[in-house]
Amino acid sequence: HHMHKGLSPENLGGWPWSNWVHSKIATVVTKEDEIWSGLAVLIETLKSGTTTILEAGSYNPDDVIEGVAEIGMRLIIGRRVFDQVIMGHSSLVQSTDECLKLNDAFMSKYKKGLADGRVRPHVNIVGLGRCTDRLLIESKKMADSYGTVLNLHLAAMIEEVQDTRGKTGRRPVEHLNHLGVLGKNVVLVHMLHVNDQEIQMLKEHGANVCHCPSTALKLVYGLSAFGRFPEMLNAGVNVVLGSDASDCANYQDMIRVMYLAAVLFKDYRYDPDAMGAETAIEMATINGARALGMEKEIGSLEKGKKADIVIVDMSGPDWIPLYNPIQNLIYSASGSSVQTVIIDGRIVMEDRQVKTVDEEKILAKCQELSKGILKRSGVNPIHTRWKVV
């Protein structure tokens, strides 16, 4: 989705945004677009200190997983599928059998992984009310059989909750629980609209919740009115941090994402003790590792774990005076403070220079390909009341 960044009008939120993007842009993105823009978004992510990514699904996963493996990051990649039309969202929908066939073929082909196991597949379905019960159930079975993650978006928008209740009589998490789809290998993204009973279901089954505050705010999911992430954490649910794609979050700087996670609920709840810097860092590190079943390998600096290390320059003006590096990291800094990134003992970025791929070539290629996106989509890239010169 990196090729979509900045194309949608900013006054579209929720379902109107989703229908606009997926009907006008997603259908014209090519394999070449996905590979080069995939590398571009990984460079952005790497340069702000992220070592490991669970991504939201490609329509050309074989080409993408092969094309981006060289960057040296730890990547978990899937095939994006859905089999049910909801509220006009019909672009790229496929039959249930085709969805299952595509995911199983991808899992089978890459089950041993690439790049010494750092890059591997997972089972990805769109969620958001766009998946039939059969697709949900069979996808969970597939993830279990391959020993991998089942990744889906859920309970992001109030319309999804209303639609699911209308069809099933249950809220989204309640329905997954009814189908037997919740589990420790399930990552549920967004999760803005949940109640106390659903939080207990998440805790009981060990399901993981991925909070994406940057997307929730930009696309008006109702974070301030409905978000229950402090309650989830207090109940013992494993809550992790994400950004979602570049066409909705618009940036991949996880330090900026940690800032949002740390501060938003202080204001929303009128409680300065809500969330905070340490909690945000845990959500972005050890909790994230736990959601991927990798907490014994990564997520913290401990003897016996893989050497994933991010070195931050604390000499810049945004760090001075330096009393508390934890607070400065979350409340003062951004990803530009990251100087060096080591993944599995290998220096992937040093002094802000990516060592594994040609950054300049990739960004130039991505910009060149954007001309094709505009031509094929016919979209005006600038939506503004200002005169553009």
Side-chain angles (χ1 to χ4, degrees):
H1 281 212
H2 196 58
M3 292 302 291
H4 310 184
K5 183 169 73 172
L7 280 183
S8 62
E10 67 170 306
N11 61 351
L12 294 179
W15 284 108
W17 168 86
S18 184
N19 285 337
W20 191 96
V21 165
H22 291 95
S23 65
K24 292 182 179 293
I25 311 297
T27 54
V28 303
V29 174
T30 67
K31 295 177 182 180
E32 186 180 29
D33 292 329
E34 283 210 62
I35 294 168
W36 288 96
S37 67
L39 286 167
V41 73
L42 291 174
I43 288 171
E44 178 188 350
T45 310
L46 172 67
K47 296 191 81 167
S48 60
T50 293
T51 66
T52 304
I53 291 174
L54 173 69
E55 61 83 50
S58 164
Y59 291 110
N60 300 288
D62 295 63
D63 301 276
V64 172
I65 197 171
E66 298 276 359
V68 302
E70 61 184 304
I71 198 168
M73 300 174 72
R74 190 173 288 102
L75 309 171
I76 304 174
I77 295 175
R79 208 290 178 187
R80 184 177 178 87
V81 299
F82 67 103
D83 66 343
Q84 182 168 266
V85 175
I86 172 176
M87 300 184 70
H89 193 295
S90 60
S91 298
L92 302 169
V93 67
Q94 296 168 295
S95 71
T96 307
D97 287 340
E98 184 68 10
C99 291
L100 293 170
K101 179 182 177 181
L102 287 167
N103 264 344
D104 188 58
F106 182 64
M107 288 301 311
S108 178
K109 182 176 181 179
Y110 293 102
K111 61 185 177 182
K112 293 184 180 179
L114 297 172
D116 298 322
R118 284 191 305 275
V119 180
R120 52 191 176 90
H122 75 288
V123 178
N124 183 83
I125 55 179
V126 172
L128 295 176
R130 299 173 194 159
C131 300
T132 62
D133 290 355
R134 179 172 169 236
L135 181 58
L136 289 165
I137 293 168
E138 295 302 320
S139 296
K140 177 61 164 66
K141 291 179 181 178
M142 189 185 301
D144 291 344
S145 67
Y146 281 105
T148 190
V149 170
L150 172 62
N151 179 25
L152 65 150
H153 292 45
L154 196 77
M157 294 165 271
I158 193 66
E159 295 93 338
E160 176 198 349
V161 177
Q162 294 167 341
D163 185 81
T164 302
R165 290 188 69 177
K167 291 175 179 175
T168 69
R170 291 177 285 269
R171 297 170 61 86
V173 175
E174 289 179 313
H175 190 55
L176 292 191
N177 184 60
H178 172 75
L179 297 176
V181 173
L182 297 177
K184 292 183 178 180
N185 64 334
V186 176
V187 178
L188 304 172
V189 183
H190 296 311
M191 295 290 283
L192 271 292
H193 300 274
V194 299
N195 62 22
D196 289 339
Q197 290 74 28
E198 290 175 299
I199 290 174
Q200 289 306 311
M201 293 172 187
L202 296 169
K203 168 58 179 175
E204 178 183 349
H205 293 282
N208 306 278
V209 170
C210 183
H211 175 29
C212 300
S214 52
T215 289
L217 291 170
K218 184 172 182 289
L219 296 187
V220 197
Y221 286 167
L223 179 58
S224 60
F226 301 105
R228 305 293 304 285
F229 300 103
E231 286 79 7
M232 292 183 198
L233 286 165
N234 290 339
V237 177
N238 187 49
V239 182
V240 310
L241 279 182
S243 62
D244 206 8
S246 297
D247 58 349
C248 44
N250 287 63
Y251 67 86
Q252 305 296 336
D253 184 337
M254 284 301 295
I255 295 180
R256 290 176 64 188
V257 172
M258 285 193 289
Y259 167 79
L260 292 177
V263 301
L264 288 176
F265 284 95
K266 294 178 181 293
D267 182 70
Y268 293 164
R269 301 295 172 77
Y270 205 62
D271 178 7
D273 196 42
M275 305 297 271
E278 291 179 356
T279 296
I281 293 172
E282 290 169 351
M283 292 166 70
T285 55
I286 189 61
N287 289 13
R290 189 174 294 115
L292 304 179
M294 300 182 70
E295 69 273 21
K296 294 182 180 179
E297 303 174 64
I298 61 173
S300 58
L301 296 176
E302 297 182 63
K303 183 179 180 180
K305 288 194 174 185
K306 296 182 182 298
D308 281 18
I309 301 169
V310 177
I311 300 174
V312 177
D313 180 2
M314 299 188 292
S315 65
D318 49 342
W319 284 85
I320 304 301
L322 177 57
Y323 301 116
N324 184 329
I326 296 172
Q327 288 205 26
N328 277 20
L329 176 67
I330 301 303
Y331 299 126
S332 304
S334 68
S336 62
S337 294
V338 175
Q339 291 298 300
T340 297
V341 178
I342 301 170
I343 301 175
D344 202 8
R346 179 189 184 190
I347 298 175
V348 180
M349 183 179 81
E350 186 173 20
D351 294 328
R352 297 202 61 75
Q353 298 298 310
V354 179
K355 313 292 284 186
T356 52
V357 295
D358 187 333
E359 177 180 352
E360 184 176 344
K361 176 183 177 180
I362 289 168
L363 298 184
K365 181 67 173 180
C366 189
Q367 183 62 33
E368 179 65 26
L369 289 171
S370 71
K371 298 175 183 177
I373 294 288
L374 291 178
K375 182 177 180 180
R376 294 191 299 274
S377 68
V379 168
N380 177 4
I382 300 178
H383 311 271
T384 177
R385 65 180 182 275
W386 297 345
K387 181 179 179 181
V388 179
V389 295

